[in-house]
């Protein structure tokens, strides 16, 4: 799928969202505490089982420049992901969840001399998490949640070789902890969240050399806001934004070539989706789009003439089916 196709999808999804201010005028903003599937503040009630099945396609395009500013390569990384998540309401305020995803994709690098392409596939690390609602809008002006997730390092990270595909697993554990404040009315919901994401130290096996390389752990604070506008009891649109404070420097020791410092930049993402209740508050289908803005990434060597700069932009689409069992 080419980037123009993804941008066309974004435009189609964004059209009704851009009309939200006109729609919102004169609508019902009476506060409510309903648990609505696909709403940012949704949480299953006691004894309910919530399921989410999704397919996603992402494409990240990049350009690599040398120390003189000349472009030396273009990159395109694609990934198809199938995911399954289940969540159970222990009480009306506490829920636990687990998820697992399988992905496959291609990493392509083109230079004036040649083009290389490596495939990768496999399971991503499973995730386990919980959310506790300290304040419920059914009896308070807002909802206030605390949450945490953990993804242990279960599946190994391996790079591709001429005879073997690479894997999609990260090669290290990850976790996140945070809180979210939400306000829900009959026609509109807004939720703001702070998340501190832990990216554990990683280890990747180079299948060509047989040597593993690693990177140290770090933390990524994230600020985000999500909204939902309900046009009818079946049709709604979500719009959200997130800023990842990811900028940092990491020393990298490759198996081949000189060591360097990898300066990672911040990222921003904008997401939009349309939701339709096939069975009101029991079965919901969603079509979504995400655009990611990357700050520049720099590779800095002891020899400044070897320095590299990479620019990137990312696009993704997803199809999600949400369902609820009582």
């Amino acid at each position: 799928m080419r980037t123009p196709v993804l941008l066309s999808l974004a435009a189609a999804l964004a059209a009704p969202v851009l009309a939200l201010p006109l729609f919102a005028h004169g609508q019902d903003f009476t506060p409510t505490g309903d648990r609505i599937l696909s709403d940012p503040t949704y949480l299953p009630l006691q004894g309910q089982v919530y399921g989410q099945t999704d397919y996603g396609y992402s494409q990240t395009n990049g350009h690599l420049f040398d120390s003189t500013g000349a472009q030396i390569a273009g990159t395109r990384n694609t990934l198809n992901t199938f995911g399954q998540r289940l969540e159970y309401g222990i009480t009306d305020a506490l829920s636990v969840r687990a998820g697992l995803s399988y992905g496959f994709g291609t990493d392509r690098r083109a230079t004036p001399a040649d083009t290389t392409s490596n495939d990768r596939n496999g399971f991503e690390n499973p995730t386990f998490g919980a959310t506790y609602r300290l304040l419920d809008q059914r009896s308070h002006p807002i909802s206030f949640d605390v949450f945490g997730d953990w993804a242990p390092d279960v599946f190994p990270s391996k790079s591709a070789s001429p005879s073997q595909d690479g894997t999609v697993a990260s090669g290290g554990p990850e976790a996140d902890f945070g809180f979210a404040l939400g306000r829900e009315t009959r026609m509109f919901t807004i939720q703001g969240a702070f998340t501190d994401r832990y990216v554990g130290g990683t280890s990747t096996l180079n299948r060509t050399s047989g040597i593993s390389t690693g990177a140290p752990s770090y933390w990524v604070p994230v600020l985000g806001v999500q909204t939902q506008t309900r046009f009818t009891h079946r049709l709604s649109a979500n719009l959200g934004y997130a800023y990842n404070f990811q900028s940092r420097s990491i020393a990298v020791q490759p198996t081949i070539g000189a060591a360097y410092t990898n300066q990672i930049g911040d990222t921003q993402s904008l997401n939009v989706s349309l939701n339709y209740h096939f069975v009101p508050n029991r079965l919901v289908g969603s079509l979504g789009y995400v655009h990611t803005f990357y700050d520049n990434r720099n590779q800095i060597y002891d020899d400044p003439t070897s320095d590299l700069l990479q620019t990137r932009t990312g696009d993704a689409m997803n199809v999600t089916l949400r369902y609820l069992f009582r």
Side-chain angles (χ1 to χ4, degrees), residues 256-301:
I256 301 174
Y260 61 90
T261 298
N262 189 18
Q263 289 189 340
I264 306 173
D266 292 343
T267 65
Q268 302 176 64
S269 62
L270 184 67
N271 65 274
V272 58
S273 65
L274 289 177
N275 318 295
Y276 186 79
H277 287 243
F278 297 107
V279 179
N281 224 37
R282 288 293 180 271
L283 181 64
V284 181
S286 300
L287 178 63
Y289 170 83
V290 182
H291 182 76
T292 303
F293 306 86
Y294 294 89
D295 285 353
N296 292 344
R297 172 181 287 180
N298 294 276
Q299 292 182 8
I300 300 176
Y301 295 82

Side-chain angles (χ1 to χ4, degrees), residues 289-321:
Y289 170 83
V290 182
H291 182 76
T292 303
F293 306 86
Y294 294 89
D295 285 353
N296 292 344
R297 172 181 287 180
N298 294 276
Q299 292 182 8
I300 300 176
Y301 295 82
D302 291 337
D303 178 7
T305 61
S306 299
D307 290 354
L308 298 173
L309 180 147
Q310 185 183 30
T311 62
R312 292 173 296 161
T313 183
D315 297 283
M317 61 156 289
N318 56 78
V319 180
T320 304
L321 193 65

Side-chain angles (χ1 to χ4, degrees), residues 30-188:
T30 303
T32 182
D34 296 340
R35 306 283 179 98
I36 303 173
L37 280 180
S38 78
D39 187 81
T41 62
Y42 174 76
L43 197 69
L45 295 169
Q46 182 177 15
Q48 290 183 332
V49 178
Y50 163 78
Q52 178 176 311
T53 304
D54 53 57
Y55 163 76
Y57 173 86
S58 64
Q59 177 177 295
T60 303
N61 295 318
H63 301 280
L64 198 63
F65 302 87
D66 65 18
S67 59
T68 68
Q71 181 173 330
I72 59 175
T75 61
R76 174 173 292 167
N77 302 327
T78 62
L79 183 64
N80 298 268
T81 304
F82 295 90
Q84 179 63 55
R85 171 182 163 184
L86 292 174
E87 187 168 359
Y88 177 72
I90 297 178
T91 69
D92 286 357
L94 176 64
S95 69
V96 293
R97 57 185 168 271
L100 185 63
S101 298
Y102 180 88
F104 63 93
T106 302
D107 298 331
R108 181 176 178 270
R109 178 186 173 108
T111 69
D114 64 356
T115 298
T116 59
S117 183
N118 294 309
D119 293 331
R120 53 197 168 102
N121 56 70
F123 285 99
E124 298 178 351
N125 290 329
T127 61
F128 306 92
T131 297
Y132 184 73
R133 180 151 292 176
L134 290 170
L135 297 178
D136 194 318
Q137 199 178 320
R138 291 179 297 179
S139 55
H140 294 83
I142 60 172
S143 62
F144 180 66
D145 300 338
V146 292
F147 56 84
D149 293 277
W150 170 248
D153 184 20
V154 174
F155 299 107
S157 174
K158 301 177 182 180
S159 67
S161 72
S163 60
Q164 291 180 295
D165 293 344
T167 63
V168 301
S170 64
E174 293 188 14
D176 63 60
F177 312 91
F179 62 87
L181 289 168
R183 172 75 170 177
E184 179 187 348
T185 70
R186 294 188 184 278
M187 304 303 298
F188 182 76

